[in-house]
């Protein structure tokens, strides 16, 4: 049943990556809304009321780190779990943490890793599973109140 697991706002300027993330999350029951950059994310986030937001770092108009900072600065969105899904440098990870990003998943990623991360951020999975093949996505400790 679509939307049964929650709503995810996927923000990436690459259409193929948006589609890849969308398909994998929809197969797991998530409803997915997409945006092509941070500016569009900020335009639609209040209408879509997502449970989780995934952001690429390098995007036109407004990058992922700046988008995360603006989401955190707005009391209406400051509680939303935000994950960076990107090929991040250590500097970008540090900037993301300073901006309030909750988790990071490096591209390329395994679809199962993406689903586990989103479930965890949506409060649907207690702990990361360890398959031994890939490092678990990094997640900032702490809980956030439910969205919208």
């Amino acid at each position: 049943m679509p939307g049964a697991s929650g709503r995810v706002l996927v923000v990436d300027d690459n259409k193929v990556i948006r589609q890849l993330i969308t398909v994998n999350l929809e197969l797991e029951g998530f409803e997915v809304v997409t945006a092509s950059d941070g500016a569009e994310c900020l335009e639609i986030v209040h209408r879509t009321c997502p449970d989780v937001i995934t952001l690429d770092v390098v995007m036109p108009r407004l990058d992922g780190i700046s988008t995360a900072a603006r989401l955190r600065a707005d009391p209406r969105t400051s509680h939303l779990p935000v994950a960076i899904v990107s090929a991040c440098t250590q500097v970008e990870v540090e900037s993301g943490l300073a901006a309030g990003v909750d988790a990071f998943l490096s591209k390329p990623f395994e679809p199962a890793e993406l689903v586990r991360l989103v479930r965890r951020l949506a409060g649907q999975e207690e702990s990361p599973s360890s398959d031994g093949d890939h490092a678990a996505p990094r997640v900032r400790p702490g809980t956030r109140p439910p969205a919208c």
Side-chain angles (χ1 to χ4, degrees):
M1 177 177 177
S5 294
R7 181 177 294 145
V8 182
L9 176 52
V10 174
V11 186
D12 198 302
D13 62 321
N14 184 312
K15 183 179 179 181
V16 173
I17 298 295
R18 282 195 314 268
Q19 289 174 333
L20 173 69
I21 293 172
T22 296
V23 166
N24 282 286
L25 292 176
E26 285 179 346
L27 286 171
E28 294 296 322
F30 287 96
E31 179 183 342
V32 179
V33 179
T34 63
S36 59
D37 61 34
E40 185 180 4
C41 168
L42 296 176
E43 290 169 10
I44 68 172
V45 69
H46 302 293
R47 288 193 317 264
T48 61
C49 218
D51 298 300
V52 176
I53 299 171
T54 69
L55 297 169
D56 186 20
V57 171
V58 179
M59 296 183 289
R61 295 201 297 168
L62 190 63
D63 67 77
I65 303 297
S66 298
T67 303
R70 289 189 188 188
L71 290 165
R72 288 292 176 251
D74 184 338
R76 298 171 296 170
T77 57
S78 63
H79 64 281
L80 294 173
V82 176
I84 294 288
V85 179
S86 188
C88 292
T89 65
Q90 186 59 35
V91 170
E92 289 167 333
V93 169
E94 291 167 8
S95 296
L97 288 171
V101 171
D102 297 292
F104 297 85
L105 182 61
S106 294
K107 290 178 185 174
F109 56 85
E110 291 293 324
E113 288 179 285
L114 170 73
V115 171
R116 278 195 301 270
L117 174 64
V118 170
R119 283 197 189 287
R120 196 167 349 146
L121 289 175
Q124 299 174 3
E125 192 173 289
E126 306 79 43
S127 61
S129 62
S130 55
D131 57 15
D133 293 335
H134 299 281
R138 288 176 274 187
V139 178
R140 178 187 290 253
T143 58
R144 300 210 179 270
C148 301

